[in-house]
Amino acid sequence: GEEGPAVITFVGPGGGDFSSEMTYKFVGEGRGDLAMVAPHRMYWGRIAGVSAAVLVLALILAVMLWPRPATTTTTLLITTQPPTTPTPATTPPTTPAPTTPAPTAAPMPSAPIAECTFWGDPHIQTFDGGRPSFYGEGEQWIVRSQEVWIQGRYMGTKFTKGLAATNKVVVGGPFLKGHVVEVGTLESGELTVDGQPVLYEAFPPPKHNLAGLGNLTYSEQGELVDAAAGIWEKRVVRMDLPKNVTVTVFRWKNYIDLRVRMPRQLDQDGSCGNFNGDATDDTTEAIQLRIGARVAPGELLFGHRAALHFTPEEERLLETCAPAHKANALKVCSTMELQGPHIPGQMKPCLINNCLGANEHALKYAKSIGL
């Protein structure tokens, strides 16, 4: 058919020869049909964007601040910086689990303490309960051990017919680190430490400190060894010494009574016995056989030996000793010369001890035969 008249038609970019153009003409306020009107701004998109950002930030803070369990925590650090050596993870300090303390070992029981007592001329009760008597004069071991040394001097008096009573005691040995304490009768006035007088102030004097090793006191206090001595005013020296050793000396006019309290020591023996739990081997004869009739040469704690005497009454007492008993005593005392051959006149005191040592009342016996 025949073509109609041509009209302007949109044929796509670059396909035609014409382009459209729109113009607007201002004809006066209120006279046209078009106007300049600003469109409403849309805030909802912005609000949504800000809200999303706040939510993301809140989630990040919640993850970072969420309480961590008490275990090892590794923190992952996201960064745009070049990779660096990672920081070693650290373990937060934890409270150590309670531990049960190791059981405390029970303390070792203290060694049992026993006492040995001397009274009169001199009657003795050993640590084991034996009852020897030593009537001969001279220096004798009361306690001899590795550490503790106690010696006594037994001397006769006119009141005992020459039979010995304890006249002085001396304490020394390694446990006192070379110090020596001597206590004598009231007549002698001897009360010294290392040869120097102590406790001589107005009675009762203050206690004396023994070089930090123990204390000496001098008072009226102390349980009597011999109740018969209670008629006299008491003068009591108490020595509190190392190794739980306590020596209490009751000073009378011309003799002393004595109490020794202590635990057993190594290699112990003496007039107080060997502290072995057996009283039967604490006889006068058995003790002298073990340690000798006198303190041996080189072992004397006293400054000198006393001169020995033998009274007519003692001579007569020896005459009453049964022949067989006396012969045995001679044999025993002869073998003891090795303990101190330099001590003059030691044989007769040894014989007195062996003949009369089993008799706790030799003085009473002496008086009964008219001596």
Side-chain angles (χ1 to χ4, degrees):
E2 293 183 1
E3 294 181 355
V7 296
I8 296 296
T9 304
F10 178 76
V11 294
D17 301 317
F18 297 91
S19 63
S20 64
E21 176 178 280
M22 183 179 292
T23 62
Y24 299 95
K25 181 179 178 179
F26 181 74
V27 291
E29 183 176 355
R31 293 183 180 183
D33 56 0
L34 297 174
M36 296 292 291
V37 178
H40 294 291
R41 296 186 179 186
M42 300 301 292
Y43 293 100
W44 293 111
R46 296 182 182 181
I47 293 173
V50 171
S51 299
V54 170
L55 179 61
V56 171
L57 179 61
L59 288 173
I60 293 173
L61 290 175
V63 170
M64 294 178 64
L65 300 178
W66 192 266
R68 295 173 175 80
T71 56
T72 302
T73 301
T74 303
T75 303
L76 179 63
L77 178 66
I78 301 175
T79 177
T80 59
Q81 298 297 321
T84 59
T85 302
T87 302
T90 59
T91 302
T94 58
T95 302
T99 58
T100 302
T104 303
M108 293 294 291
S110 300
I113 293 177
E115 74 174 31
C116 172
T117 52
F118 281 60
W119 70 98
D121 49 349
H123 304 298
I124 301 171
Q125 180 164 302
T126 69
F127 292 113
D128 294 327
R131 297 294 296 269
S133 294
F134 296 88
Y135 298 118
E137 291 185 336
E139 293 79 22
Q140 176 66 278
W141 280 106
I142 293 176
V143 173
R144 184 186 71 181
S145 69
Q146 290 188 10
E147 295 282 328
V148 180
W149 300 349
I150 306 175
Q151 296 172 5
R153 175 172 289 161
Y154 310 149
M155 299 298 293
T157 72
K158 63 181 180 180
F159 304 103
T160 58
K161 309 295 182 181
L163 297 175
T166 310
N167 178 266
K168 184 188 288 190
V169 64
V170 58
V171 183
F175 88 127
L176 290 188
K177 302 185 183 302
H179 296 287
V180 176
V181 182
E182 293 188 50
V183 183
T185 65
L186 290 174
E187 280 185 342
S188 73
E190 293 175 290
L191 178 47
T192 65
V193 173
D194 300 331
Q196 300 301 313
V198 296
L199 301 174
Y200 52 81
E201 297 91 343
F203 187 84
K207 67 182 178 182
H208 177 81
N209 183 281
L210 186 60
L213 299 172
N215 291 304
L216 275 62
T217 58
Y218 192 27
S219 70
E220 297 175 334
Q221 305 301 313
E223 181 185 355
L224 290 172
V225 175
D226 180 11
I231 61 174
W232 299 312
E233 188 177 37
K234 287 194 292 187
R235 289 292 184 266
V236 185
V237 178
R238 178 185 169 101
M239 310 178 204
D240 293 297
L241 305 174
K243 293 187 173 292
N244 285 331
V245 176
T246 302
V247 181
T248 307
V249 184
F250 298 84
R251 305 177 77 196
W252 310 118
K253 183 178 180 180
N254 56 11
Y255 74 100
I256 62 174
D257 289 335
L258 183 67
R259 176 183 286 113
V260 180
R261 289 180 54 81
M262 61 186 289
R264 183 182 179 183
Q265 303 295 308
L266 291 174
D267 302 325
Q268 183 169 334
D269 215 327
S271 298
C272 280
N274 53 14
F275 207 165
N276 65 349
D278 181 6
T280 63
D281 61 5
D282 285 348
T283 64
T284 305
E285 182 176 340
I287 291 172
Q288 287 195 147
L289 280 172
R290 293 196 300 264
I291 66 171
R294 296 290 175 268
V295 175
E299 297 179 350
L300 191 69
L301 291 175
F302 292 103
H304 65 278
R305 292 188 186 272
L308 305 183
H309 305 92
F310 205 68
T311 65
E313 290 85 355
E314 289 176 300
E315 291 279 9
R316 289 185 59 186
L317 283 170
L318 275 182
E319 292 173 2
T320 67
C321 186
H325 195 173
K326 189 173 183 178
N328 184 67
L330 282 167
K331 179 180 178 181
V332 169
C333 291
S334 296
T335 62
M336 290 181 190
E337 288 185 1
L338 293 176
Q339 296 290 341
H342 66 297
I343 307 172
Q346 69 168 341
M347 178 64 75
K348 285 186 178 178
C350 180
L351 292 174
I352 285 287
N353 284 335
N354 278 272
C355 281
L356 302 175
N359 185 346
E360 291 186 31
H361 304 287
L363 178 57
K364 185 176 181 179
Y365 170 70
K367 291 178 178 180
S368 72
I369 62 174
L371 298 182

